[in-house]
Protein backbone atom coordinates (compact mmCIF):
# COMPACT_ATOMS: atom_id res chain seq x y z
CA UNK A 1 0.00 0.00 0.00
CA UNK A 2 2.85 2.37 0.82
CA UNK A 3 4.39 1.76 -2.62
CA UNK A 4 1.08 2.52 -4.36
CA UNK A 5 0.58 5.78 -2.49
CA UNK A 6 4.15 6.85 -3.26
CA UNK A 7 3.64 6.09 -6.95
CA UNK A 8 0.33 7.96 -6.98
CA UNK A 9 1.77 10.98 -5.15
CA UNK A 10 4.75 11.13 -7.50
CA UNK A 11 2.45 10.67 -10.52
CA UNK A 12 0.38 13.66 -9.47
CA UNK A 13 3.50 15.79 -9.00
CA UNK A 14 4.85 14.64 -12.40
CA UNK A 15 1.54 15.60 -14.02
CA UNK A 16 1.54 18.99 -12.32
CA UNK A 17 5.14 19.66 -13.38
CA UNK A 18 4.38 18.67 -16.97
CA UNK A 19 1.21 20.75 -17.16
CA UNK A 20 2.82 23.80 -15.60
CA UNK A 21 5.94 23.61 -17.76
CA UNK A 22 3.91 23.45 -20.99
CA UNK A 23 1.70 26.33 -19.79
CA UNK A 24 4.70 28.48 -18.89
CA UNK A 25 6.41 27.63 -22.18
CA UNK A 26 3.40 28.71 -24.25
CA UNK A 27 2.87 31.83 -22.15
CA UNK A 28 6.47 32.85 -22.85
CA UNK A 29 6.12 31.76 -26.50
CA UNK A 30 3.03 33.95 -26.96
CA UNK A 31 4.56 36.85 -25.06
CA UNK A 32 7.67 36.78 -27.25
CA UNK A 33 5.44 36.62 -30.34
CA UNK A 34 3.65 39.75 -29.00
CA UNK A 35 0.26 38.03 -28.96
CA UNK A 36 -0.43 38.11 -25.23
CA UNK A 37 0.32 35.31 -22.78
CA UNK A 38 -2.97 33.42 -23.24
CA UNK A 39 -3.28 33.54 -27.03
CA UNK A 40 -2.44 29.89 -27.77
CA UNK A 41 -4.44 28.43 -24.90
CA UNK A 42 -7.38 30.65 -25.91
CA UNK A 43 -7.28 29.33 -29.48
CA UNK A 44 -6.96 25.75 -28.29
CA UNK A 45 -9.86 26.25 -25.87
CA UNK A 46 -12.00 27.73 -28.62
CA UNK A 47 -11.11 24.88 -30.96
CA UNK A 48 -11.98 22.21 -28.39
CA UNK A 49 -14.93 23.79 -26.60
CA UNK A 50 -16.34 26.36 -29.04
CA UNK A 51 -15.89 24.35 -32.23
CA UNK A 52 -13.57 26.93 -33.80
CA UNK A 53 -12.61 25.47 -37.17
CA UNK A 54 -11.78 28.51 -39.31
CA UNK A 55 -7.99 28.77 -39.50
CA UNK A 56 -8.40 32.25 -41.04
CA UNK A 57 -9.27 33.68 -37.63
CA UNK A 58 -5.70 33.11 -36.52
CA UNK A 59 -4.52 36.22 -38.34
CA UNK A 60 -7.20 38.45 -36.80
CA UNK A 61 -7.17 40.08 -33.40
CA UNK A 62 -9.57 38.10 -31.25
CA UNK A 63 -11.01 38.66 -27.82
CA UNK A 64 -10.00 36.17 -25.14
CA UNK A 65 -12.67 33.73 -23.99
CA UNK A 66 -12.08 33.10 -20.26
CA UNK A 67 -14.45 30.14 -20.22
CA UNK A 68 -12.67 28.39 -23.10
CA UNK A 69 -9.31 29.13 -21.45
CA UNK A 70 -10.52 27.72 -18.12
CA UNK A 71 -11.92 24.52 -19.63
CA UNK A 72 -8.90 23.96 -21.86
CA UNK A 73 -6.53 24.40 -18.92
CA UNK A 74 -8.65 21.92 -16.97
CA UNK A 75 -8.51 19.42 -19.83
CA UNK A 76 -4.75 19.88 -20.19
CA UNK A 77 -4.25 19.44 -16.45
CA UNK A 78 -6.34 16.26 -16.30
CA UNK A 79 -4.53 14.83 -19.32
CA UNK A 80 -1.15 15.66 -17.78
CA UNK A 81 -2.15 14.09 -14.47
CA UNK A 82 -3.29 10.91 -16.22
CA UNK A 83 -0.01 10.70 -18.14
CA UNK A 84 1.98 11.41 -14.97
CA UNK A 85 0.18 8.63 -13.10
CA UNK A 86 0.69 6.20 -15.97
CA UNK A 87 4.39 7.03 -16.31
CA UNK A 88 5.07 6.63 -12.60
CA UNK A 89 3.16 3.32 -12.64
CA UNK A 90 5.38 2.20 -15.52
CA UNK A 91 8.49 3.24 -13.59
CA UNK A 92 7.23 1.32 -10.58
CA UNK A 93 6.92 -1.74 -12.82
CA UNK A 94 10.49 -1.26 -14.06
CA UNK A 95 11.72 -1.12 -10.48
CA UNK A 96 9.77 -4.21 -9.43
CA UNK A 97 10.64 -6.18 -12.55
CA UNK A 98 14.09 -5.03 -13.73
CA UNK A 99 14.00 -7.32 -16.77
CA UNK A 100 11.12 -5.19 -18.12
CA UNK A 101 12.94 -1.86 -17.76
CA UNK A 102 13.79 -1.67 -21.46
CA UNK A 103 10.15 -2.29 -22.41
CA UNK A 104 9.06 0.43 -19.99
CA UNK A 105 11.57 2.85 -21.52
CA UNK A 106 10.29 1.98 -24.99
CA UNK A 107 6.68 2.63 -23.91
CA UNK A 108 7.63 6.00 -22.38
CA UNK A 109 9.53 7.11 -25.50
CA UNK A 110 6.70 5.89 -27.74
CA UNK A 111 4.23 7.83 -25.60
CA UNK A 112 6.31 10.98 -26.05
CA UNK A 113 6.33 10.54 -29.83
CA UNK A 114 2.61 9.69 -29.99
CA UNK A 115 1.79 12.74 -27.87
CA UNK A 116 3.72 15.05 -30.18
CA UNK A 117 2.21 13.50 -33.31
CA UNK A 118 -1.29 13.55 -31.81
CA UNK A 119 -1.10 17.18 -30.74
CA UNK A 120 0.43 18.09 -34.09
CA UNK A 121 -2.30 16.33 -36.02
CA UNK A 122 -5.10 17.81 -33.92
CA UNK A 123 -3.69 21.33 -34.29
CA UNK A 124 -2.97 21.22 -38.03
CA UNK A 125 -5.28 24.20 -38.78
CA UNK A 126 -3.33 26.26 -36.25
CA UNK A 127 0.12 25.49 -37.60
CA UNK A 128 0.76 29.18 -38.30
CA UNK A 129 0.64 29.96 -34.57
CA UNK A 130 1.50 26.53 -33.19
CA UNK A 131 4.53 25.30 -35.15
CA UNK A 132 5.85 21.77 -34.87
CA UNK A 133 9.02 22.88 -33.13
CA UNK A 134 7.00 24.47 -30.32
CA UNK A 135 5.08 21.23 -29.72
CA UNK A 136 8.34 19.29 -29.55
CA UNK A 137 10.06 21.82 -27.28
CA UNK A 138 7.08 22.17 -24.92
CA UNK A 139 6.78 18.41 -24.50
CA UNK A 140 10.53 17.88 -24.21
CA UNK A 141 10.64 20.55 -21.49
CA UNK A 142 7.84 18.77 -19.63
CA UNK A 143 9.68 15.42 -19.90
CA UNK A 144 12.99 16.90 -18.76
CA UNK A 145 11.55 18.69 -15.74
CA UNK A 146 9.33 15.79 -14.68
CA UNK A 147 12.19 13.36 -15.31
CA UNK A 148 14.53 15.45 -13.16
CA UNK A 149 11.97 15.34 -10.35
CA UNK A 150 11.69 11.55 -10.64
CA UNK A 151 15.46 11.12 -10.69
CA UNK A 152 15.63 13.05 -7.42
CA UNK A 153 12.85 10.97 -5.86
CA UNK A 154 14.08 7.60 -7.12
CA UNK A 155 17.86 7.32 -6.89
CA UNK A 156 19.22 4.72 -9.28
CA UNK A 157 16.37 5.16 -11.72
CA UNK A 158 18.63 6.24 -14.57
CA UNK A 159 20.81 3.18 -14.03
CA UNK A 160 17.73 0.98 -14.23
CA UNK A 161 17.10 2.13 -17.81
CA UNK A 162 20.71 2.72 -18.84
CA UNK A 163 23.00 0.41 -16.84
CA UNK A 164 26.11 2.07 -18.29
CA UNK A 165 24.97 5.47 -16.91
CA UNK A 166 24.15 4.31 -13.39
Amino acid sequence: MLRASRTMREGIVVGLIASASVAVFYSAFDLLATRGTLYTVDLLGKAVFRDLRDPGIIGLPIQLDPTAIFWYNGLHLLTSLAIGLFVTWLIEQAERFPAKAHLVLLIIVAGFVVTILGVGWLTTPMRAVLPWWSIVVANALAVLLAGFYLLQKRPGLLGRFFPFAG
Side-chain angles (χ1 to χ4, degrees), residues 27-49:
S27 290
F29 175 77
D30 287 336
L31 188 64
L32 291 171
T34 66
R35 297 187 289 227
T37 57
L38 295 173
Y39 181 83
T40 298
V41 73
D42 179 59
L43 278 181
L44 291 168
K46 287 175 181 171
V48 173
F49 297 104

Side-chain angles (χ1 to χ4, degrees), residues 35-113:
R35 297 187 289 227
T37 57
L38 295 173
Y39 181 83
T40 298
V41 73
D42 179 59
L43 278 181
L44 291 168
K46 287 175 181 171
V48 173
F49 297 104
R50 301 282 193 233
D51 203 31
L52 174 66
R53 296 290 177 252
D54 179 14
I57 197 168
I58 292 172
L60 303 173
I62 55 175
Q63 187 168 348
L64 294 179
D65 182 344
T67 303
I69 292 169
F70 173 81
W71 285 111
Y72 184 79
N73 279 324
L75 174 66
H76 186 257
L77 177 60
L78 287 175
T79 303
S80 295
L81 289 171
I83 291 170
L85 289 167
F86 182 63
V87 166
T88 54
W89 177 81
L90 283 171
I91 288 171
E92 178 69 30
Q93 299 309 303
E95 289 181 338
R96 290 179 63 205
F97 308 103
K100 298 191 185 259
H102 288 98
L103 177 61
V104 166
L105 181 60
L106 179 65
I107 292 169
I108 291 171
V109 170
F112 175 75
V113 171

